[in-house]
Amino acid sequence: MINDALQNRRTIIAIIFSAVIVLFIIRLFTIQVIETKYKEGADSNAFLRKTIYPPRGLIFDRNHTLLVFNKPAYDINLIIREIHDLDTLAFCQALNIDKAFFINRMAEIRDRHRNPGYSTYTPQVFMTQLSSEDIATIQQSMYKFPGFYIQNRTLREYTYASAAHELGSIGEVSQSRIDSDDYYIPGDYAGRDGIESTYEEQLRGEKGVEILLRDAKGRIKGRYDNGKEDIAPKAGKNLTLTLDIRLQLLAEKLLNGKMGSVVAIEPKTGEILAMASNPSYDPSVMVGSQRSKNYIQLMKDPTKPLLNRATQAQYSPGSSFKPVQALVLQQMGGITSHSMFACNGPESYPIKCTHHHGSPVSLLDAIEQSCNPYFWNAFKTTLEKDGYGEKNAIFRKNFNEWEDRVKSFGLGRKFTDSDIYDQSRGFIPSEKFYNRVYRSKTGWRAITIRSLSIGQGEVLVTPLQLANTQAIIANQGFYITPHLNKSDSMLKHIHWVKVDPKYFPIVNEGMWRVFEYGTGSAYKISNISMCGKTGTVQNSHGKDHSIFVGFAPRENPQIAVAVVIENAGFGATWAAPIASLMMEQFIKGKIERTDLLNRISTSVTNYHVKER
Amino acid sequence: MSRNVSIKYALDWTTIALYVILIVIGWLNIYGASYNFDQSTIFDFDQRAGKQFIWILTAFGLGGMLLLIDAKMYSIFAYFIYAATILLLIATIFLAPDIKGSRSWLVFGPISFQPAEIAKMATALALAKYMSSYNYKLKHWKDLIPPGLLIFIPFALIVLQQETGSALVFIAFLFMLYREGMKGIVLVLVSFAIVLFIVIIRFSIVPLGDNQGTLGMVIAMSLILLIQFFYAFIYMRDHKEALILLGGIAFIALISYILNSWYIINYNYVGIGTAIASSFYWFIIELIKRFKRYWFIIFLSIGSVIFSFSADYLFQKVLEPHQQVRIKVVLNMEDARLGAGYNVNQSKIAIGSGGFWGKGYLNGTQTKLKYVPEQDTDFIFCTVGEEHGFVGSTAVLLLYWFLLMRLLRIAERQRESFNRIYAYCVSSIIFFHLMINVGMVLGIMPVIGIPLPFFSYGGSSLWGFTILLFILLRLDASRLEHAW
């Protein structure tokens, strides 16, 4: 009894059945192969990617004394989507915060302008860098607050309250940093200044990831694939600095009550042995949750403790520029080691001499006695040696040569191949500069720029640059870029100055005489032959700056020093003894002149500088 | 024993093979879905996979037993089985404990059982028995009433048990009725009603202009007019009336659009007015030409207009809030990520994350971490999708397709109407379960909690489908025994 008439209906039914299955297969293809959003959804669902932060690299001084290390700290993170049934009051009590803070903080997190990385799915930072005491209470009751997590972090700790400017600090990464470097996510920390910033990539190590499986209720169900996909964090590399912490501490001690800086360089290697700036601050105040508060306080301080005077402050070098001047003028053929010029003492024109000595003066005497008329005459003679020429062309050519050779001493520009953070350029005026200032190429002559001859006027240097010029003189013609990281050698970064080594001995001898017979003789260390030059720099801010540059021992220089004490008077009074004590400490390993040490370290030249 | 020997040859082993394959794959996926990293074995009887293993063994035993019963018995006892099942369904309403709002489970100690699973088989047998009797022929609309009642009684009882999902399965019998002579227009009408319903629910929230009606109603009326037009175009000899109708509709639409520049005109009423006016136009032509087919189009138009207006009401008043939400989720009217849409969204995430090749057996994360609800019962297909990817899911769908095609072939080779009707019932029920279940998991059907045949965890469902299928296999095996 087969119903033939209706048998074609079997086909229609088969078509309907098949069509639905084909539709399902198309749908499967769409969501499994074409669409990607479901795969992402699955990841954020089931995988809790817990970042494991690596310990940051430790920092040692050149003698392997530990300077910077880590101590545990904790962040409180939250995932908005996972928060439910939050007992705000209990939460605030456990964290010891008030409710207003909580509400305010939540509003900040949700504000996309202030928190561009906001998402309800990803961890957001609620509070950072809490100490173990801070989280002691909440740690036990964390289970009551679903959606909140404790993230282990580390804080920097310092063995010595020293070298704050050089070491730098760590702070939360900025949005621009996050955008430019995939390594960071909001809430991460990175070096903000100093060594911490320059060597961020070495110190930070590599973050690890622990992939945990999380069920629909947010409970952790174990590690994904038994931890096979986890990435272990790689600890940051330790860093050995060129600093000698004893020398650094001495420098800071000597600067006590003074406004200024000390830079000490090992001439052979360009390694910075000490670099101190006062006023300064204790690096441990720039750590953790207190950082921003303290930072603002330091910013407002009129003595500018945040300014690293050693690398950022710019001064006219005054007489401390004379050794460089003597070298360049010899090289340019304007003077020889035998050139003599008359000195009329205070009567001299256009520049007076502040010292009392015979006349005429030789180059050697001029350096020893810091004779201004000599250097003015030498400068003038050199620049005018071929006459002025058409539109001063010859004069300007000679001036350009002078500028070029002076700049080869690392002046008027930053050490771009150095790891020193935040340097100032200093300033060596150029022909262009004077053309502009005097409005024409013929508007200025040697007499116009006479101040340059004695290191006053437009020329500006940083204490770091000044110390480097001493390394050059100690090395008789070259310098290695000054740097702070001892781990990788900078010997390839050798820079020969544009002055022939044959011109150096006479300057060297002149500077030796400063310690033997001249302005520095009071601070000569017995048994060590030392070279130096004082500087007393007029400036518009009051009393003269006291400057001293030098190196020792003369035969085998181990240390080149520059000291600048702002508004303290004669170079010989303050800067010279400080430089001398620095040399003694480094060469002898101890200070025998304890009376001098006590006197200098307890004297106050600037009453605004707070006692540390 | 001679009959048993003949069964061995007459039995459709292809179907049995597909049945066993689906059950085993389902069982492995139940293990995958409830696998919880504790490395328990698939035979751990405290776990669902272990329990399912017992259900599978007993189902095989049950299937074997059913094959031993004389094929004639099913026909002879069809009404008896039906009556007993109806009584059981009534008893269940009163005896069953409240499980998540549903009163459909009879609990005997550790075992619980859902009579609704048996009701499908019982209804199929009764329908087969009634419709295969020599004095029954499905020719007129009124011939639909007795089978309709046979279907409606268990349907209503199951609705009373708060198991709307299981009750909806009875719609599947429409395929069988169609095969047995029900007019194809019924299927078309049902489809048209569903389309109208979806259009109105989906787009009634989209307003037109400034208080000028809703997009849903205007689309619905346009659909009705379009059907009138095609109907006219097919059945008119000179197409003139159809063109007049089209012109009239365009004219009214244009006028109302232009008038809208000055007056606010509700397009809903314009649409309804047009539909009614065109029906009147058909009525006039009917009076003149005495062409009987026009009554149909008149009733269809008027009926559709009334349905369109009541659809919103039906949706709001007849459906439970959670059912409304489930429909809204499918129609993308609700935020699918949380709340009501959570299940479906998680299900799509799980399947989508499987990709082309899948994550590999027992490597799925979404299903194992309980993101997908009901992952070993109604949402078992997610595990396939996540762990075996597009390839695996397509393979499973193709297995079902082979099974369905095989069942249709079995149905058509029967010499007795009873067997054929029963076979169509079985294939329709399996198809309907597949369509609703997989459609739900893929987010193209509302969430209706019915199991995937042979796949989902659960004894009742597995037993129910086994009984359904093995009665058919027994009937099929008897086709060679003798002619009636």
Side-chain angles (χ1 to χ4, degrees), chain A residues 9 18 27 32 42 45 214, chain B residues 178 182 346 371 390 442:
Chain A
R9 294 199 165 183
S18 308
R27 174 76 172 172
Q32 293 192 303
N45 248 349
R214 178 169 60 173
Chain B
Y178 172 66
M182 181 184 75
Q346 290 298 344
Y371 281 96
F390 175 70
L442 294 178

Side-chain angles (χ1 to χ4, degrees), chain A residues 1 6-7 9-10 12-13 17-18 20 24-25 27-29 31-32 38-39 42 45-46 214-216, chain B residues 175 178-179 182 346 349 351-353 355 366 369-371 385 389-390 393 401 412 417 424 431 435 439 442:
Chain A
M1 205 180 123
L6 295 171
Q7 255 201 333
R9 294 199 165 183
R10 171 203 177 180
I12 291 173
I13 291 172
F17 287 7
S18 308
V20 167
F24 286 167
I25 291 174
R27 174 76 172 172
L28 277 170
F29 191 76
I31 64 176
Q32 293 192 303
Y38 296 113
K39 291 165 192 69
N45 248 349
R214 178 169 60 173
D215 73 5
Chain B
F175 289 112
Y178 172 66
R179 169 61 185 84
M182 181 184 75
Q346 290 298 344
I349 286 177
I351 293 176
S353 69
Q366 300 300 300
L369 294 165
K370 323 272 184 232
Y371 281 96
F390 175 70
S393 341
W401 183 75
E412 290 297 338
S417 301
Y424 265 100
F431 167 74
M435 177 176 78
L442 294 178

Side-chain angles (χ1 to χ4, degrees), chain A residues 55 60 69 192 199 241 292 474 496 513 543 549 557 581:
Chain A
F60 297 92
F69 55 101
R192 289 290 283 269
Y199 292 102
L241 297 185
S292 51
W496 286 92
R513 286 189 179 196
K543 226 171 155 185
V549 296
L581 286 165

Side-chain angles (χ1 to χ4, degrees), chain B residues 421-441:
Chain B
I421 293 168
Y422 182 77
Y424 265 100
C425 288
V426 173
S427 40
S428 304
I429 288 167
I430 291 175
F431 167 74
F432 200 81
H433 269 266
L434 179 75
M435 177 176 78
I436 297 290
N437 182 285
V438 177
M440 162 186 80
V441 170

Side-chain angles (χ1 to χ4, degrees), chain B residues 291-303:
Chain B
F291 191 40
K292 213 181 169 188
R293 282 186 187 273
Y294 293 166
W295 283 116
F296 173 74
I297 194 75
I298 292 165
F299 286 129
L300 176 68
S301 303
I302 303 290

